[in-house]
């Protein structure tokens, strides 16, 4: 268990695979800048699930980066998102590693369904609950052909959502679809 400087218990899991993940992301040429293909995939996630927020998220040792992002305002440029977030008005492309639930998904290497985050003491105290108003989460890891958990895809809502088994199967299927797109992208770069 780790503690922040104020003595609060940090519940974000230790991620021993982060250095390998960063190396693999660099090899693939993804995870450091917004990507129109990932933005389009985030739009698809939102459309399929009906969620107001969706992300294609890559995680390094210190932070999360949303290479694909859909918000209720639609896809915005990194500058627009960061300006809005700096003004206290929403989501940016970057998030601290101890915010949100995707770091748990990457370390566990399993999909996570939180229909109401307040029902789970471990997750209810996460900063995104108070700072952004997140109440439900549905995410799955992006595990590539090398066995590396590259990141996640996820959808979140400010209201509890009954994702259930259908939501779980949907997010896992969409994660597999995106991993296949990443593999095709890698194969085409090799040619």
């Amino acid at each position: 268990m780790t503690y922040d400087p104020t003595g609060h218990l940090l519940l974000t899991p230790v991620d021993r695979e982060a250095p390998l993940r960063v190396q693999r992301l660099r090899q693939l040429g993804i995870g450091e800048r917004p990507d129109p293909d990932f933005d389009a995939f985030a739009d698809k996630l939102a459309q399929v699930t009906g969620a107001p927020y969706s992300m294609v998220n890559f995680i390094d040792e210190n932070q999360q980066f949303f290479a694909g992002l859909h918000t209720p305002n639609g896809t915005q440029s990194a500058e627009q998102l960061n300006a809005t977030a700096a003004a206290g008005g929403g989501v940016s492309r970057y998030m601290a590693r101890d915010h949100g639930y995707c770091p748990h998904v990457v370390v566990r290497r399993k999909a996570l369904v939180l229909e109401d985050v307040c029902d789970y003491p471990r997750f209810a105290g996460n900063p995104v609950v108070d700072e952004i108003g997140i109440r439900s989460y549905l995410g799955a890891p992006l595990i590539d052909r090398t066995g590396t958990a590259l990141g996640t895809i996820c959808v979140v809502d400010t209201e509890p959502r009954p994702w259930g088994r259908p939501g779980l199967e949907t997010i896992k299927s969409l994660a597999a679809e995106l991993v296949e797109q990443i593999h095709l992208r890698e194969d085409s770069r090799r040619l």
Side-chain angles (χ1 to χ4, degrees):
M1 302 264 176
T2 57
Y3 293 86
D4 73 10
T6 63
H8 292 95
L9 177 65
L10 295 176
L11 299 176
T12 304
V14 175
D15 184 359
R16 290 180 175 83
E17 293 183 7
L20 177 64
R21 177 180 319 106
V22 170
Q23 182 181 24
R24 179 69 174 135
L25 289 170
R26 286 190 181 132
Q27 180 183 26
L28 292 168
I30 58 177
E32 295 182 317
R33 62 189 165 283
D35 185 305
D37 292 336
F38 294 147
D39 280 336
F41 200 86
D43 291 342
K44 178 179 179 173
L45 288 168
Q47 182 181 27
V48 168
T49 63
Y53 298 94
S54 58
M55 298 89 165
V56 175
N57 187 10
F58 299 108
I59 303 169
D60 67 20
E61 294 97 332
N62 304 308
Q63 67 184 4
Q64 303 175 67
F65 176 69
F66 304 125
L69 179 63
H70 174 88
T71 70
N73 298 328
T75 302
Q76 298 174 302
S77 72
E79 294 78 21
Q80 291 170 314
L81 285 165
N82 292 335
T84 302
V91 177
S92 82
R93 292 263 182 186
Y94 296 93
M95 185 179 287
R97 208 180 148 276
D98 64 346
H99 284 50
Y101 312 105
C102 290
H104 296 271
V105 171
V106 166
V107 170
R108 290 174 21 148
R109 303 171 67 86
K110 293 182 180 179
L112 179 63
V113 179
L114 301 171
E115 294 182 343
D116 186 342
V117 298
C118 294
D119 290 342
Y120 303 89
R122 177 179 188 151
F123 298 117
N126 195 284
V128 297
V129 176
D130 293 331
E131 292 175 17
I132 304 173
I134 300 303
R135 286 292 301 272
S136 62
Y137 173 91
L138 178 64
L142 299 170
I143 301 174
D144 79 346
R145 62 178 131 212
T146 69
T148 305
L150 302 172
T152 67
I153 59 168
C154 69
V155 295
V156 297
D157 201 336
T158 56
E159 301 292 328
R161 294 282 299 263
W163 305 111
R165 173 72 57 195
L168 177 64
E169 295 306 320
T170 297
I171 202 75
K172 288 166 60 176
S173 174
L174 289 166
E177 180 181 326
L178 184 57
V179 167
E180 185 59 32
Q181 288 179 22
I182 291 168
H183 290 161
L184 290 171
R185 185 187 274 206
E186 179 182 31
D187 292 344
S188 70
R189 284 181 63 190
R190 287 182 182 164
L191 298 176

